Amino acid sequence: EAQVTQNPRYLITVTGKKLTVTCSQNMNHEYMSWYRQDPGLGLRQIYYSMNVEVTDKGDVPEGYKVSRKEKRNFPLILESPSPNQTSLYFCASSYQVGVGETQYFGPGTRLLVL
Amino acid sequence: QKEVEQDPGPLSVPEGAIVSLNCTYSNSAFQYFMWYRQYSRKGPELLMYTYSSGNKEDGRFTAQVDKSSKYISLFIRDSQPSDSATYLCAMSLFGNEKLTFGTGTRLTIIP
């Protein structure tokens, strides 16, 4: 089954404790992206990757890191989480960047930073 | 002012009614317009995709884009309880690379 998977689905952590949210897709997609979703603010892009070893900042990259060492994986790293990073996070992928390409979203990771 | 404005609702309509969902935007350079549907505790899924102004129909769904007014709409005909979800509009300059989303409208179809 074609899908985007994220782990963990739910996470409670404390300020300053490094964490990684994994994202994996089995569709051989080139393009992957991370979003956060907050009430009243909608979905905002954090980082995206056009292909392996190619990443770029989205609208809200502060406090986050990403890496793309393999085509299928695009982990999101919070080196020192803070309460304002409490949010619902979505990973998405598409075959490539371009007109008409659909982004497939993962199920989401709900993060609470105390 | 946000780049994309969308009424958050909630919007409740009886089954079988026609639903109208709307977004306005400020960036006249947007060319690609999308509607996503998001069920509770799920990721968004693409519903409709249109380029520039005009209409696009897919089954019970019709997407309209009026670039002169910077206004897009999604119409749902013969609404069903399974249409109950949050609907997000999104738009971009060059395709799917960098999407700007609305905040979403929560829709409930009452049986």
Side-chain angles (χ1 to χ4, degrees):
Chain A
E1 180 190 354
Q3 60 182 349
V4 178
T5 56
Q6 296 179 227
N7 282 292
R9 294 289 313 278
Y10 303 91
L11 179 60
I12 301 175
T13 189
V14 295
T15 299
K17 186 176 181 182
K18 181 180 178 179
L19 67 91
T20 299
V21 183
T22 65
C23 173
S24 182
Q25 49 90 7
N26 62 0
M27 297 170 277
N28 201 36
H29 284 172
E30 291 184 351
Y31 179 85
M32 298 185 74
S33 182
W34 275 103
Y35 296 86
R36 59 177 291 174
Q37 187 174 33
D38 302 289
L41 296 176
L43 275 160
R44 293 178 293 166
Q45 192 176 44
I46 303 171
Y47 270 95
Y48 64 94
S49 169
M50 307 275 272
N51 213 324
V52 176
E53 302 290 3
V54 181
T55 63
D56 208 346
K57 298 177 182 178
D59 295 319
V60 288
E62 294 78 20
Y64 305 94
K65 284 177 59 177
V66 293
S67 68
R68 186 93 181 273
K69 298 189 188 313
E70 304 168 279
K71 200 171 188 179
R72 62 182 294 131
N73 296 322
F74 190 44
L76 180 69
I77 303 156
L78 284 72
E79 295 269 2
S80 182
S82 62
N84 64 12
Q85 293 178 297
T86 291
S87 187
L88 178 58
Y89 291 87
F90 288 101
C91 179
S93 74
S94 65
Y95 179 62
Q96 57 185 220
V97 173
V99 177
E101 291 291 341
T102 302
Q103 284 203 39
Y104 295 87
F105 282 79
T109 294
R110 193 169 292 276
L111 172 65
L112 173 61
V113 183
L114 301 173
Chain B
Q1 183 191 5
K2 293 178 184 173
E3 246 184 326
V4 178
E5 299 276 1
Q6 185 175 8
D7 187 338
L11 179 63
S12 295
V13 300
E15 183 176 356
I18 296 175
V19 176
S20 172
L21 303 166
N22 311 293
C23 287
T24 59
Y25 61 96
S26 57
N27 187 349
S28 58
F30 284 139
Q31 298 188 85
Y32 301 93
F33 305 91
M34 289 139 274
W35 286 95
Y36 282 81
R37 178 175 61 196
Q38 185 176 19
Y39 290 115
S40 181
R41 302 189 182 280
K42 300 285 188 183
E45 56 179 335
L46 183 66
L47 204 56
M48 299 284 285
Y49 189 116
T50 54
Y51 169 69
S52 193
S53 286
N55 294 359
K56 185 174 183 179
E57 190 173 317
D58 184 1
R60 297 185 294 111
F61 298 90
T62 299
Q64 284 187 353
V65 175
D66 183 348
K67 288 193 72 180
S68 62
S69 301
K70 299 193 189 72
Y71 188 87
I72 69 171
S73 300
L74 177 71
F75 297 96
I76 307 174
R77 290 184 300 280
D78 187 25
S79 55
Q80 305 293 311
S82 58
D83 295 328
S84 298
T86 296
Y87 289 80
L88 302 150
C89 64
M91 41 202 80
S92 69
L93 302 176
F94 303 117
N96 73 338
E97 176 181 343
K98 189 170 166 50
L99 302 180
T100 300
F101 283 85
T103 53
T105 300
R106 184 183 295 180
L107 172 67
T108 300
I109 306 300
I110 304 165

